Amino acid sequence: MKRFNIAGTCRPNEHYMVDITERLEIIRGMVANGDYFCINRGRQYGKTTTLEAMCTQLSDEYCVFCVSFETIEDACYEKEDRLYGKFISLIARAFAWSPLSGLDNEIGEQIKAYAKEYKDGCSSENLIDFIGNICIKNSKPIVLLIDEIDQAGNHPSFLKFLGLLREVYLKRNRIPSFQSVILAGVYDVKNLKLKMRSEDQHQYNSPWNIAVPFDVDMSLQAKGIADMLAEYKADHNLDFDEKMVAQMIRDYTGGYPFLVSRLCMIIDAEHYTWDKEGVLKAVNAILMERNTLFDNMIKKLDDYPELEATLKRILFNGSRETYNPDEKYLQIASMFNYISTQNGLVSVACRIMETRLYNYFLAKNKASTMSQYGQADKSQFIIDGYINMPHLLERFVVHMNQTYNMVKEHKFLEDNGREIFLTYLRPIINGSGNYYIEPQTRDHERMDIIVDYLGTQYVIELKIWRGNAYNQRGEEQLKGYLEYFNLQTGYLVSFCFNSNKQPGLLPPVVIDGHTLIEAIV
């Protein structure tokens, strides 16, 4: 029986996985063009799975050498000749355990002889001869795939190796060479300056300017996820709406392959239902766990304070931050797929990452007065598995007016009021519920929060009071959200800095059959 997999390569005969045939056909076209390129995506984004599938997909037309630099010892990088010799031994090892499709027997024996001869080192001239000899004599064109290039990124000898491949590529009308070279790793080889620890003047030298852009979308789409779930459903004799579940998984994960597989794995292992409630339970579970994806994301915030500050402005203040490819911290976040760009503006890559970041930032406030109020008040609001949201908002208003002076601390609260509300809310729903922010509505003036608690959703709009006309527009927008989520009641929290406005819970307002309950802070 197949299973969901998050550990290493996914294989179609062993694991439930999204069909990547379309992606492979695009790559086949690039190989046919003789392109050299780098597949750089975040960790656990399907790079190695794609490479292994390519080895099979291309084998009818090409001989494919698929090697990994992950196991190369640091000592091999001390001198170029040692690295070159190690590279030849990796080529030989690629077919040591089983015949390599498309490799002529005579060429295979020559490679073994080269590996034996150069086991202690190989000059650049001899490596060029090695590449030329095997490429000109083999009956099928040879494609070279190198995985885990990040392991080599700190070593100048690796840049020399790339420079040699570049030289052969530029002279391939005269020197036989690989049909295509494909590198895979988190870092774009053209940006290895981000990893090199040499002097500043050397950090911007890249020997891989021959590479063509690899713009293939490797995120998993809802249709592909649905097809995968349809296979799972048939294998387990289940009945559920795989298209609805797939779209929901896509909405929360942004198609990040690790997150997609992990959610499915949790639902399967915990025997959750394959519906909205089951997906929300799995989302809550993944947000509570430690994994390498989240650990690395938080580490990058520690490494790059500018990144942390930028994301906080986006998440809590609705700041519109322009993507600048020359900013190192934004390059890093983009390469690791923590952020995406839409219309030139930076946004967090997906809803799960966004919520994890909110939780991380809010956890720093756990000793704050509002967090302590939320923890103390929690038992008042949870009744038979439902949140008494009007009472929660009422208590929030009381605590805000006890803790802050809305007039004197106007600027601080205008900038931080939403973070304060989430700081109060989080301990109340923590463990049993979740929340996310609708990015389309997040700006300096307003933010819409969707709270999921034990399968029930609550929509809360946070906004700054700008007068009755603006307030009426906000009510209409909130009504639209209630219709979208099929809810009858919605909630507004208005931060009002007008001393004439009375704080508290206002009488409910009914608009087209929907009830809106507003709290004035």
Side-chain angles (χ1 to χ4, degrees):
M1 181 72 75
K2 290 185 179 181
R3 55 190 173 86
F4 294 106
N5 176 53
I6 59 170
T9 304
C10 290
R11 298 181 175 88
N13 61 326
E14 298 177 26
H15 307 119
Y16 292 110
M17 58 181 290
V18 171
D19 183 6
I20 59 172
T21 300
E22 184 176 345
R23 180 191 310 171
L24 297 176
E25 286 301 320
I26 296 173
I27 294 173
R28 177 186 280 274
M30 297 177 72
V31 170
N33 290 336
D35 291 337
Y36 281 37
F37 56 95
C38 181
I39 302 175
N40 63 289
R41 296 292 185 275
R43 301 194 190 283
Q44 297 175 291
Y45 212 91
K47 300 182 295 295
T48 303
T49 295
T50 298
L51 288 186
E52 184 157 316
M54 284 165 53
C55 289
T56 302
Q57 179 85 351
L58 297 173
S59 62
D60 61 335
E61 191 174 351
Y62 304 97
C63 172
V64 183
F65 290 140
C66 191
V67 300
S68 172
F69 274 29
E70 187 172 22
T71 58
I72 295 183
E73 307 88 349
D74 286 345
C76 291
Y77 293 106
E78 292 176 358
K79 294 182 179 179
E80 291 103 60
D81 61 343
R82 294 191 65 181
L83 178 60
Y84 299 163
K86 186 67 175 180
F87 169 70
I88 294 175
S89 71
L90 287 177
I91 295 291
R93 194 188 305 169
F95 60 92
W97 305 109
S98 60
L100 190 64
S101 177
L103 181 67
D104 299 344
N105 291 335
E106 177 187 351
I107 302 303
E109 292 302 317
Q110 287 186 20
I111 292 173
K112 291 178 184 178
Y114 275 114
K116 185 176 181 180
E117 180 180 356
Y118 297 122
K119 62 183 179 62
D120 295 322
C122 175
S123 67
S124 58
E125 291 83 1
N126 287 333
L127 181 57
I128 290 173
D129 289 342
F130 165 77
I131 294 172
N133 282 331
I134 65 173
C135 290
I136 196 171
K137 293 178 180 178
N138 198 62
S139 57
K140 285 186 176 181
I142 297 177
V143 176
L144 175 63
L145 277 61
I146 305 179
D147 198 7
E148 300 294 347
I149 60 167
D150 299 315
Q151 303 294 324
N154 287 329
H155 302 282
S157 60
F158 178 65
L159 295 184
K160 294 278 189 180
F161 171 70
L162 293 182
L164 186 145
L165 292 180
R166 176 181 181 275
E167 179 184 352
V168 173
Y169 173 82
L170 293 175
K171 297 178 179 178
R172 59 182 174 171
N173 287 337
R174 289 177 287 135
I175 302 175
S177 185
F178 300 112
Q179 168 70 21
S180 177
V181 175
I182 305 167
L183 310 179
V186 174
Y187 287 84
D188 186 342
V189 177
K190 290 183 288 185
N191 292 314
L192 277 176
K193 62 191 180 188
L194 298 175
K195 281 179 66 71
M196 293 295 292
R197 298 196 185 102
S198 55
E199 295 81 4
D200 290 345
Q201 62 266 32
H202 298 304
Q203 289 187 353
Y204 288 84
N205 296 327
S206 172
W208 203 243
N209 54 10
I210 57 172
V212 301
F214 182 75
D215 297 325
V216 178
D217 184 1
M218 291 180 62
S219 67
L220 304 181
Q221 303 302 314
K223 182 184 183 305
I225 299 171
D227 291 342
M228 174 184 69
L229 293 181
E231 181 184 7
Y232 172 88
K233 183 173 76 169
D235 287 349
H236 292 78
N237 296 315
L238 297 174
D239 183 23
F240 62 87
D241 185 349
E242 69 271 15
K243 292 182 180 179
M244 184 279 293
V245 173
Q247 186 61 59
M248 195 170 180
I249 290 174
R250 166 72 190 186
D251 290 343
Y252 272 92
T253 64
Y256 198 114
F258 166 79
L259 294 175
V260 171
S261 294
R262 183 62 185 139
L263 282 184
C264 293
M265 180 182 288
I266 291 172
I267 296 173
D268 176 59
E270 299 298 329
H271 304 292
Y272 293 153
T273 51
W274 287 91
D275 55 14
K276 176 181 174 182
E277 182 178 352
V279 174
L280 292 177
K281 285 182 178 179
V283 169
N284 191 50
I286 200 171
L287 286 170
M288 297 296 290
E289 73 179 14
R290 291 283 300 273
N291 58 54
T292 55
L293 175 62
F294 294 151
D295 288 348
N296 287 331
M297 182 172 67
I298 299 305
K299 184 178 184 302
K300 288 295 179 286
L301 299 184
D302 293 336
D303 292 342
Y304 298 96
E306 305 99 321
L307 178 61
E308 178 171 346
T310 298
L311 294 179
K312 283 197 73 173
R313 289 195 299 272
I314 292 171
L315 296 178
F316 290 111
N317 302 115
S319 176
R320 295 180 176 272
E321 301 283 337
T322 301
Y323 180 76
N324 181 353
D326 297 320
E327 290 286 2
K328 182 177 178 180
Y329 66 93
L330 292 178
Q331 287 185 46
I332 290 290
S334 179
M335 280 195 294
F336 278 81
N337 294 99
Y338 302 147
I339 63 171
S340 59
T341 56
Q342 298 176 352
N343 300 320
L345 299 177
V346 176
S347 60
V348 180
C350 69
R351 191 179 293 174
I352 285 179
M353 285 187 185
E354 192 170 273
T355 305
R356 184 68 178 229
L357 287 170
Y358 273 116
N359 290 346
Y360 170 73
F361 293 135
L362 294 173
K364 295 184 175 184
N365 301 335
K366 64 182 179 182
S368 71
T369 301
M370 293 305 289
S371 179
Q372 293 174 359
Y373 280 146
Q375 188 64 48
D377 291 349
K378 179 176 181 178
S379 60
Q380 302 179 39
F381 308 135
I382 309 301
I383 302 172
D384 296 330
Y386 295 92
I387 302 175
N388 185 338
M389 193 60 73
H391 187 35
L392 185 154
L393 299 183
E394 190 173 36
R395 292 296 298 164
F396 174 71
V397 171
V398 170
H399 293 315
M400 282 292 292
N401 285 280
Q402 287 176 340
T403 308
Y404 301 100
N405 185 311
M406 297 300 293
V407 176
K408 292 183 178 180
E409 298 180 85
H410 177 161
K411 185 65 174 73
F412 170 81
L413 293 173
E414 185 169 309
D415 291 339
N416 297 280
R418 292 174 283 192
E419 182 175 355
I420 294 170
F421 177 78
L422 291 172
T423 299
Y424 179 70
L425 175 68
R426 185 168 181 256
I428 296 170
I429 66 172
N430 196 34
S432 299
N434 238 310
Y435 64 91
Y436 66 89
I437 314 300
E438 277 294 336
Q440 294 89 344
T441 66
R442 182 174 49 212
D443 57 28
H444 186 65
E445 302 290 339
R446 61 187 285 252
M447 170 192 289
D448 288 343
I449 305 172
I450 289 80
V451 176
D452 294 307
Y453 190 84
L454 296 178
T456 301
Q457 290 186 312
Y458 307 82
V459 179
I460 309 166
E461 180 180 312
L462 307 183
K463 61 185 179 65
I464 297 172
W465 179 272
R466 299 297 189 196
N468 289 324
Y470 180 85
N471 196 54
Q472 289 174 359
R473 289 196 299 271
E475 290 175 349
E476 287 294 330
Q477 290 166 336
L478 179 57
K479 180 178 74 72
Y481 266 100
L482 295 178
E483 292 173 350
Y484 176 79
F485 287 106
N486 196 28
L487 298 173
Q488 290 301 309
T489 304
Y491 305 90
L492 295 90
V493 177
S494 296
F495 294 90
C496 181
F497 305 104
N498 183 343
S499 58
N500 297 322
K501 196 75 175 176
Q502 188 66 29
L505 203 64
L506 300 183
V509 175
V510 178
I511 301 178
D512 296 336
H514 296 282
T515 301
L516 307 182
I517 298 175
E518 182 173 9
I520 301 291
V521 181

